[in-house]
Amino acid sequence: MISIKYSLLRPRWTRLAALSGTALLLLALLAACAPMSPRPAIVGLSLSQDAREAALARQLVWAFSGRLAISQGSDGGNARIEWRQNGQDFDIRLSAPITRQGWRLRSQAGVVTLEGLEGGARRGTDPEAMLLEATGWRIPVSAMAAWVRGARAAGPSDMSFDARGLPEILQQAGWTVEYRGWIEQAPALPAKVFVRQGEASVRLLVEVWE
């Protein structure tokens, strides 16, 4: 009863102050819930990346050679890699210097062939699964065709950029891609690409871009 009576006898200016405070609180809550506009710097970097990826998409034929360090939990290995791409088709050669084993993974018109196995070549449609079964290495081949050039593969992604406006970290399809170095040309191309997911890790050092 005392509290109710006090509220009824409050001076008018006190009630106005309380109403003003409530209005300010509501405005603050509405402002917090309103969607934030993208910062101009982020928008500019995203547009720059879009233009860069468009330029890369026009280069249908490309190739690189370098070295791979691959690990899967406590297992790991090193290999030389030569990758040639022609549109959607690819020809990837892997050679392990210590064991002197070599594999050739090719895709032509959607048909994938893996050579260098006991019992002869195998054919299928999933290059990642075929390579994992043959070597024990998890390499996201299909997405790597975009990632190795500093571009996003198809599907949702999250990308951050370095001080020069070049990709720094890309998260896509459950993988994290880090760009540790670049070769300055037009457009710039990665020199070091680190890809990881859980215990799987692929570290690529590109020596020559063609």
Side-chain angles (χ1 to χ4, degrees):
M1 294 296 293
I2 295 174
S3 61
I4 294 175
K5 186 180 293 185
Y6 175 78
S7 64
L8 291 174
L9 295 176
R10 281 186 301 175
R12 183 178 180 183
W13 64 266
T14 305
R15 294 198 299 272
L16 289 175
L19 289 173
S20 299
T22 302
L24 289 174
L25 179 60
L26 289 173
L27 288 174
L29 290 173
L30 290 173
C33 296
M36 296 181 64
S37 300
R39 288 180 292 176
I42 296 178
V43 172
L45 290 173
S46 180
L47 292 175
S48 177
Q49 178 66 15
D50 290 343
R52 190 175 162 281
E53 290 180 357
L56 290 171
R58 291 191 291 270
Q59 298 177 356
L60 299 179
V61 180
W62 52 269
F64 73 84
S65 59
R67 292 175 286 165
L68 280 178
I70 307 166
S71 63
Q72 178 69 40
S74 58
D75 297 327
N78 297 290
R80 295 281 311 170
I81 181 171
E82 294 181 4
W83 186 314
R84 296 188 176 278
Q85 190 86 15
N86 186 352
Q88 298 298 317
D89 295 337
F90 57 77
D91 187 346
I92 304 170
R93 297 173 185 263
L94 298 169
S95 57
I98 296 179
T99 61
R100 298 185 182 277
Q101 289 180 288
W103 302 272
R104 184 181 185 185
L105 186 66
R106 292 185 296 165
S107 176
Q108 293 180 311
V111 178
V112 180
T113 304
L114 180 58
E115 303 173 3
L117 307 175
E118 293 184 5
R122 298 179 189 175
R123 289 177 175 80
T125 58
D126 190 335
E128 290 86 358
M130 294 173 65
L131 198 59
L132 177 62
E133 182 181 357
T135 65
W137 295 342
R138 287 187 62 208
I139 303 177
V141 177
S142 299
M144 285 283 285
W147 295 347
V148 294
R149 297 203 293 167
R152 295 162 291 189
S157 65
D158 185 15
M159 177 177 281
S160 61
F161 303 86
D162 62 18
R164 297 170 296 173
L166 293 171
E168 185 173 41
I169 297 177
L170 168 63
Q171 293 180 323
Q172 189 170 32
W175 292 83
T176 298
V177 185
E178 296 183 42
Y179 296 97
R180 301 287 187 89
W182 291 84
I183 297 174
E184 298 296 339
Q185 57 184 61
L189 291 171
K192 295 180 181 179
V193 183
F194 293 178
V195 182
R196 69 179 188 277
Q197 183 189 67
E199 293 186 339
S201 172
V202 181
R203 297 190 175 192
L204 170 66
L205 172 62
V206 178
E207 297 174 340
V208 178
W209 276 104
E210 298 178 18

